[in-house]
Amino acid sequence: MRNVLLATLFILTYVSVSAQRGKDGAKIIVATEVVNAYTSLTIDANAGNTSITVANSSLNSNFSANLAPGDLIMLIQVQGTTIDNTNPLFGITWGQILNYNNCGNYEFVQVENVPNATTINIDCPLSLNYTAAGNVMVIRVPRYASLTIPGGTTLTADSWNGSTGGILSVEVDGITTINAGGTIDVSDLGFRGGQIESASFFGASRYADNDPGEGAEKGEGIAGDQVFYSGSLAGRYTRGAPANGGGGGNGHNAGGGGGSNAGILVNWNNGVGVPDVTYNAAWSIETPSIAGANSSGGGRGGYTFLQNNLNPLVVPPGDPTWGGDQRREVGGLGGRPLDYSGGKIFIGGGGGAGDGNDNEAGAGGTGGGIVYLSTYGDVNGTGQILANGEDGFGSIGFSQFGQLHGKDAAGGGGGGGTVIMKTTGTVSFSGNINANGGVGGDQVLVAGAFATIDEAEGPGGGGGGGYIAITSGAPTRTTNGGVNGTTNSPYVSNFPPNGATSGGLGMPNESINAFDVSIPGDVICAGNTSTLTASIIGIAPAGIVYEWYDSPIGGTLLFTGNPFTTPILAVSTTYYVRVCPAPYRVPVTVTVNPCATITANFSSTDSTLCAGDCIDFTDLSSGGPATGWTWSFPGSATISSTAQNPTNICYNNAGTFDVQLIVTDGSISDTLLIPNFITVSALPIVIAGPDTSICLGDNANIYATGATTYFWDNALGTGQGFSVSPIVNTTYIVTGTDGNGCVNTDSTIITINPLPAVVAGPDTSICLGDNANIYATGATTYFWDNALGAGQGFSVSPIVNTTYIVTGTDGNGCVNTDSTIITINPLPIVVASIDT
């Protein structure tokens, strides 16, 4: 886009504030506060729906006004799971999950409008299905600009009441601070524990029954509540564990099982929980042995009523010698762990009640609720986030003259809840996040004066651990199972769990993806368009769709896709982009100024270069006057420049390269990008040769290759090759030019070897007929004329004056000559006379 304004914050800063996020302002918690409002879905809602029907659409509890456009709601189905109900008499599988259906589905949506008392229209279509009969909560979620929880204050939720409550959900656009001593706490607010009754049969062993004489009430869970168990399942009481609810203790006086939440699914191990290894001798004599077991989910309730003082490390449970109900292992089974792998979330299950017949039994503990913290800013502080299960209730013992009290079983602990910290900010929060199971209830026998403790019943099982998932950071996280309860009966003093076990470990170290939408604003001159591009921060789900609107709520859908090019604008305009399923729209403003134009333009001293060439650029921009220049020279040794007229821009590598100039007058700018403006050719590879050694006075041939034309120094001139005869060592440099006019050089060296210093001699005068010796020095080999031939010396006997020439050759093959003269003296003419 041309003619784009630079000097404005909008194109330098990403917009982080959405259209409706933060609308409820900064929040500081005072004392103990509930900040959500709850209602129920009354008609099934399916993926793709943009309207839901609820019991009451006002949702104004804890808010200053009724639900309105731009508010945030959370849908979550908390029950409706199908469980096995085929064998209540003998089936350990009773209560196993057959189908979650829509239980655990949840999502956040933004309100588009509220047309009547039972209808809410939403901005983005629903992503999931919801079954109203499965208790679907519709929760109004406050949209805070920031959230602070000072020391001594607590942010919490309403308790689950069978249709609503148990969930705390807040959205924070800015910083969330949980100070030391400050708490987010939904402990004991989840699914309800089994309640006490006072009817009990000896020998009861069923897994499900509607007769309280068979056993105690089961804990509530994702399969339903106790009323639902009575109807559809005909199994409100006894030890079978309904999904994550703990089983009730069977008659007579077995302990309740712990509720559960998360854990390893295949490790439920028939609900036996985690036996205390201190007492492996006692666990090993069960049938079958559970010594060393490490079951996930809730812990099992303790054994039934015993009346005789025997050794529990020797006499197994169920042996008739125990008397009473024979101390049978029919305590409530621990609740089952739930499957979080599909993105569902769950409330912690309630513990099963302990069986009673003396109105002294203990109820099951309530499960932990859900904390859902959705933020787009940083999270810090050293406080606590708690979603623990409630401890199971102990048997009710009190001192009364001549009476023994506390003679019923204790309840199981509630399962740990769920904590989700979903944020695109930085998590420096260093406090604790706990979603632990509740402790099993104790049997506390109290004997009044003249009474003795002469029996024992079952303690409660511990609740299973919960689930914690955060986007980032490293706070301390625990989802431990609650420990089992104990009995103080002296008859089993060496085995105080008396059959009760602890809950299993939950899932503390899970993660959850978060994302936000970011978009830079723009500033343009009147009469232009703007192209707006949204981007994702974090990890968005697959299949997101970008939609552009002219209003923060409702309005007209202008465009689907990304980026969005506006129409030609004459005034400043704000647009709103949403990325379903994100429950918000992000505003972006295009600021329009009535500004003059400025046009970028430039030239260069050359645009076709050879590698290593340098050129200068000249700004030719018009309009303005210009006050700033930003040049980009990719591929050059100078990548960028802010000079008006950059000089000495060098290109060392072959290729084609863009050149860009952004010019501004301080308020508006223009960009000129010319692709492949510069073409750089490689230099020719010129090779001269050969390097040669010659003898003084000889000729050598030199030549060059690799170019189109050649020019030699040493006055040789133009030509590819020459014959040269230097008299000293000489370097010949050739300059080669290729078809692109690119030049390179090379050289060759001619080395001169001197001639040998040949000396022949000596010059000699001899008498006619005498011999003379001649020889030569200064060379390696010699050759004489006058038919003498090769040799360094000879004896000669010329008859006339004779010059002998010798040719000497040295080791380099160089040749020189010398000569020697033999002068012949005639013999004297001797005349003899005859004496007379």
Side-chain angles (χ1 to χ4, degrees):
M1 183 186 69
R2 305 293 290 275
N3 305 323
V4 181
L5 293 176
L6 287 179
T8 171
L9 182 63
F10 285 98
I11 72 172
L12 298 177
T13 305
Y14 282 97
V15 176
S16 62
V17 179
S18 72
Q20 297 298 324
R21 287 192 337 221
K23 64 178 293 186
D24 293 324
K27 177 67 174 178
I28 301 175
I29 301 300
V30 177
T32 298
E33 289 193 57
V34 175
V35 296
N36 294 112
Y38 308 89
T39 189
S40 298
L41 190 75
T42 57
I43 297 177
D44 292 354
N46 297 314
N49 289 169
T50 55
S51 182
I52 60 174
T53 302
V54 298
N56 185 348
S57 65
S58 63
L59 284 170
N60 54 14
S61 298
N62 305 309
F63 289 86
S64 60
N66 288 349
L67 189 72
D71 285 334
L72 183 66
I73 58 175
M74 176 186 185
L75 281 77
I76 178 169
Q77 181 168 333
V78 298
Q79 292 178 323
T81 296
T82 302
I83 61 174
D84 186 341
N85 188 35
T86 57
N87 193 351
L89 181 58
F90 300 113
I92 192 72
T93 60
W94 189 95
Q96 74 178 2
I97 298 169
L98 302 179
N99 194 328
Y100 283 86
N101 301 315
N102 296 323
C103 179
N105 287 355
Y106 77 96
E107 59 192 289
F108 294 85
V109 288
Q110 183 170 262
V111 177
E112 186 166 279
N113 57 64
V114 185
N116 56 54
T118 59
T119 303
I120 302 173
N121 294 328
I122 56 178
D123 202 354
C124 285
L126 291 178
S127 299
L128 302 170
N129 298 326
Y130 299 89
T131 305
N135 278 331
V136 181
M137 271 191 283
V138 179
I139 306 169
R140 183 173 177 182
V141 180
R143 312 194 84 168
Y144 295 135
S146 63
L147 173 63
T148 302
I149 304 173
T153 68
T154 300
L155 179 60
T156 187
D158 287 342
S159 298
W160 168 253
N161 62 12
S163 59
T164 62
I167 298 177
L168 164 65
S169 181
V170 295
E171 179 192 76
V172 185
D173 196 42
I175 295 175
T176 299
T177 303
I178 309 170
N179 287 319
T183 306
I184 296 176
D185 193 356
V186 295
S187 300
D188 312 346
L189 301 183
F191 289 134
R192 296 164 294 187
Q195 299 304 299
I196 59 174
E197 44 71 39
S198 190
S200 184
F201 304 149
F202 280 72
S205 60
R206 296 175 67 88
Y207 289 88
D209 201 286
N210 267 351
D211 186 347
E214 290 285 339
E217 194 172 78
K218 304 177 188 296
E220 186 179 8
I222 64 171
D225 61 12
Q226 291 80 2
V227 174
F228 177 78
Y229 300 158
S230 296
S232 298
L233 303 178
R236 181 169 184 163
Y237 304 101
T238 70
R239 59 175 164 159
N244 65 325
N250 277 17
H252 181 76
N253 299 158
S260 72
N261 189 345
I264 300 175
L265 302 182
V266 297
N267 284 359
W268 181 66
N269 195 17
N270 295 332
V272 301
V274 183
D276 186 339
V277 296
T278 305
Y279 306 104
N280 274 350
W283 305 121
S284 66
I285 59 176
E286 278 198 16
T287 303
S289 168
I290 64 170
N294 189 18
S295 176
S296 55
R300 187 188 67 182
Y303 304 139
T304 58
F305 166 54
L306 67 91
Q307 205 165 22
N308 294 322
N309 188 7
L310 304 176
N311 186 351
L313 305 184
V314 175
V315 182
D319 192 295
T321 60
W322 283 107
D325 196 36
Q326 300 178 6
R327 194 169 167 261
R328 294 178 302 116
E329 49 189 88
V330 290
L333 301 184
R336 292 168 163 84
L338 303 180
D339 185 2
Y340 278 78
S341 63
K344 297 173 181 282
I345 59 174
F346 307 99
I347 294 174
D355 182 66
N357 66 307
D358 291 312
N359 292 312
E360 297 178 342
T366 301
I370 295 176
V371 172
Y372 205 113
L373 182 61
S374 179
T375 84
Y376 302 91
D378 297 344
V379 182
N380 56 47
T382 57
Q384 294 189 94
I385 302 176
L386 304 176
N388 298 320
E390 184 180 27
D391 293 346
F393 290 84
S395 60
I396 302 170
F398 55 92
S399 180
Q400 186 173 353
F401 184 83
Q403 300 290 321
L404 174 65
H405 289 282
K407 296 183 294 181
D408 287 336
T418 296
V419 177
I420 306 293
M421 183 187 290
K422 183 175 181 179
T423 178
T424 55
T426 298
V427 176
S428 57
F429 175 71
S430 58
N432 295 329
I433 304 178
N434 300 333
N436 300 320
V439 174
D442 294 332
Q443 181 190 33
V444 181
L445 292 161
V446 179
F450 303 108
T452 59
I453 299 176
D454 55 1
E455 62 182 274
E457 284 76 20
Y467 181 89
I468 301 173
I470 64 178
T471 306
S472 63
T476 300
R477 294 183 268 174
T478 63
T479 57
N480 299 325
V483 298
N484 53 267
T486 59
T487 178
N488 66 337
S489 170
Y491 282 15
V492 287
S493 59
N494 56 345
F495 183 40
N498 197 28
T501 64
S502 299
L505 177 68
M507 301 175 69
N509 297 315
E510 305 308 300
S511 61
I512 186 168
N513 292 331
F515 77 97
D516 199 357
V517 180
S518 179
I519 181 169
D522 199 2
V523 182
I524 63 173
C525 297
N528 288 283
T529 66
S530 173
T531 297
L532 303 172
T533 303
S535 59
I536 296 297
I537 299 172
I539 301 175
I544 60 173
V545 177
Y546 295 86
E547 295 178 338
W548 302 80
Y549 290 84
D550 58 2
S551 173
I553 298 295
T556 301
L557 174 62
L558 303 175
F559 181 72
T560 299
N562 190 39
F564 164 55
T565 299
T566 71
I568 294 174
L569 299 178
V571 296
S572 297
T573 304
T574 298
Y575 297 95
Y576 301 84
V577 60
R578 77 175 183 190
V579 181
C580 287
Y584 51 83
R585 296 181 186 179
V586 176
V588 55
T589 298
V590 180
T591 301
V592 178
N593 287 341
C595 47
T597 60
I598 186 169
T599 302
N601 197 9
F602 61 83
S603 66
S604 66
T605 52
D606 202 348
S607 62
T608 302
L609 311 177
C610 298
D613 285 353
C614 300
I615 57 173
D616 301 334
F617 287 85
T618 301
D619 169 43
L620 299 177
S621 301
S622 58
T627 59
W629 300 264
T630 302
W631 297 82
S632 295
F633 304 115
S636 76
T638 303
I639 298 299
S640 63
S641 174
T642 56
Q644 181 178 4
N645 300 304
T647 60
N648 202 36
I649 306 300
C650 302
Y651 292 84
N652 297 321
N653 299 311
T656 55
F657 304 101
D658 304 344
V659 174
Q660 176 179 281
L661 169 62
I662 300 174
V663 63
T664 179
D665 66 359
S667 61
I668 59 173
S669 69
D670 187 43
T671 300
L672 175 60
L673 169 66
I674 302 181
N676 303 323
F677 179 74
I678 300 295
T679 299
V680 180
S681 298
L683 301 182
I685 301 174
V686 177
I687 299 175
D691 291 345
T692 306
S693 295
I694 63 173
C695 298
L696 181 65
D698 289 348
N699 294 329
N701 292 318
I702 58 175
Y703 58 89
T705 59
T708 304
T709 62
Y710 308 89
F711 185 86
W712 297 80
D713 64 354
N714 290 306
L716 295 179
T718 301
Q720 187 171 9
F722 293 90
S723 177
V724 296
S725 56
I727 60 174
V728 294
N729 295 345
T730 302
T731 299
Y732 293 89
I733 299 173
V734 63
T735 300
T737 304
D738 64 12
N740 296 317
C742 295
V743 174
N744 209 344
T745 62
D746 196 23
S747 62
T748 184
I749 299 174
I750 305 300
T751 302
I752 305 300
N753 294 318
L755 302 183
V758 178
V759 177
D763 292 343
T764 307
S765 295
I766 63 172
C767 295
L768 182 63
D770 288 344
N771 293 329
N773 292 319
I774 59 175
Y775 58 90
T777 61
T780 303
T781 62
Y782 307 91
F783 189 87
W784 297 80
D785 63 355
N786 291 305
L788 295 179
Q792 187 172 9
F794 293 91
S795 178
V796 296
S797 55
I799 58 174
V800 294
N801 292 343
T802 302
T803 298
Y804 292 91
I805 299 173
V806 64
T807 299
T809 303
D810 62 14
N812 294 317
C814 294
V815 176
N816 208 346
T817 62
D818 198 18
S819 61
T820 183
I821 300 173
I822 305 299
T823 303
I824 303 300
N825 296 314
L827 298 177
I829 301 174
V830 177
V831 178
S833 62
I834 301 173
D835 292 335
T836 57

